[in-house]
């Protein structure tokens, strides 16, 4: 078995994946407490998951297996995370570490770090992806909104995007065919809704709640939150 790298696969024994560390990846067979581990096929469908992974996402191991991992990823980070998985599956990198926000079946979200590594069985193609997730200490839920919660009207979403892009009230009014007073009215409503004192805090709060997509420019509100 080999772990895929941009310079070609690195050969390792099959047992190293389950019982030892491979290029800095935690042991899957003896995962530390609180570490979620899972094996995905090249289509990112979960094939195996440990008990902690199943516990975090409110299902038995049998119920978790067969789920598309993309369905667990919060919309705010999905685009950037899938881009990294694509590079992994294309053999352009061996592994990656990133911030992750995942959606639980009930209210709340899993917020933490994710490490993913591509694995190949004596072949150039990736045969599996190992993922390791650990929640950030004290940051579970962290004010992240579930994707199904409709928070903003369409005009509120466009104004939030414009503020995040650095547009002034005058530019927003011209772009959205509103008066300056109309823009300020909606901005005031957004400040109250997200419970922040000013525009800078509004943008920061929107990103932290998962309302704005991570890794996209110009800024874009996740459509799931638009009424």
């Amino acid at each position: 078995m080999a772990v895929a790298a941009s310079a070609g696969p690195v050969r390792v024994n099959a047992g190293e994946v389950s019982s030892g560390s491979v290029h800095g990846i935690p042991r899957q067979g003896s995962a530390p407490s609180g570490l979620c581990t899972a094996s995905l096929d090249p289509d990112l469908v979960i094939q195996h998951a440990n008990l902690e992974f199943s516990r975090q996402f409110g299902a038995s191991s049998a119920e978790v297996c067969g789920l598309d991992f993309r369905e667990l990823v919060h919309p705010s980070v999905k685009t950037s995370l899938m881009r990294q998985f694509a590079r992994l599956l294309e053999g352009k990198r061996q592994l990656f570490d990133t911030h992750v926000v995942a959606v639980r079946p009930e209210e709340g979200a899993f917020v933490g770090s994710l490490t993913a590594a591509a694995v190949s069985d004596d072949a150039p193609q990736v045969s599996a992806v190992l993922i390791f997730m650990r929640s950030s200490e004290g940051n579970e839920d962290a004010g992240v909104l579930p994707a199904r919660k409709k928070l903003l009207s369409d005009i509120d979403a466009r104004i939030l995007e414009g503020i995040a892009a650095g547009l002034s009230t005058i530019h927003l009014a011209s772009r959205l065919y509103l008066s300056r007073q109309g823009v300020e009215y909606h901005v005031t409503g957004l400040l109250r809704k997200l419970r922040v004192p000013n525009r800078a805090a509004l943008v920061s709060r929107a990103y932290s709640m998962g309302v704005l997509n991570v890794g996209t420019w110009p800024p874009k509100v996740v459509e799931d939150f638009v009424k």
Side-chain angles (χ1 to χ4, degrees):
M1 188 172 287
V3 176
S6 58
V10 179
R11 305 290 178 185
V12 296
N13 295 325
E16 289 185 74
V17 174
S18 61
S19 63
S21 295
V22 180
H23 297 277
I25 300 170
R27 296 183 178 187
Q28 188 179 25
S30 57
S33 175
L35 183 67
C36 302
T37 70
S39 173
L40 316 179
D41 69 12
D43 293 322
L44 303 185
V45 174
I46 300 171
Q47 301 299 306
H48 306 283
N50 73 344
L51 290 176
E52 181 63 17
F53 190 101
S54 302
R55 184 186 72 80
Q56 287 286 352
F57 295 100
S60 67
S61 180
E63 291 171 326
V64 167
C65 294
L67 290 178
D68 189 328
F69 181 69
R70 283 169 286 230
E71 295 178 3
L72 301 179
V73 179
H74 194 274
S76 64
V77 299
K78 185 175 291 186
T79 300
S80 59
L81 184 60
M82 291 306 112
R83 190 180 302 128
Q84 295 189 72
F85 271 116
R87 290 177 58 82
L88 198 73
L89 292 166
E90 292 167 2
K92 294 180 178 179
R93 61 193 308 178
Q94 177 180 324
L95 55 84
F96 68 82
D97 295 287
T98 190
H99 171 74
V100 68
V101 181
V103 180
R104 294 189 176 100
E106 303 299 329
E107 293 292 325
F110 175 101
V111 181
S113 61
L114 178 146
T115 298
V119 177
S120 63
D121 292 309
D122 299 319
Q125 294 82 16
V126 173
S127 60
V129 176
L130 301 179
I131 61 170
F132 305 86
M133 299 166 57
R134 184 185 293 280
S135 64
S136 301
E137 188 67 27
N139 281 338
E140 289 192 21
D141 300 343
V144 177
L145 294 174
R148 60 184 174 274
K149 184 168 184 178
K150 302 299 183 181
L151 181 69
L152 306 174
S153 67
D154 184 68
I155 192 66
D156 283 340
R158 304 293 83 82
I159 288 176
L160 178 57
E161 291 168 352
I163 293 172
L167 298 183
S168 67
T169 296
I170 293 175
H171 284 131
L172 284 170
S174 175
R175 173 179 289 189
L176 300 173
Y177 304 103
L178 295 172
S179 66
R180 294 177 60 182
Q181 291 78 11
V183 171
E184 291 297 343
Y185 172 81
H186 285 283
V187 171
T188 299
L190 286 168
L191 296 177
R192 288 175 178 168
K193 191 172 292 186
L194 273 65
R195 300 179 183 178
V196 290
N198 54 51
R199 294 188 181 202
L202 177 67
V203 174
S204 178
R205 178 70 168 155
Y207 274 115
S208 71
M209 293 173 71
V211 175
L212 284 168
N213 271 302
V214 175
T216 61
W217 188 265
K220 184 72 176 174
V221 168
V222 176
E223 288 300 324
D224 301 59
F225 296 110
V226 181
K227 297 175 184 178

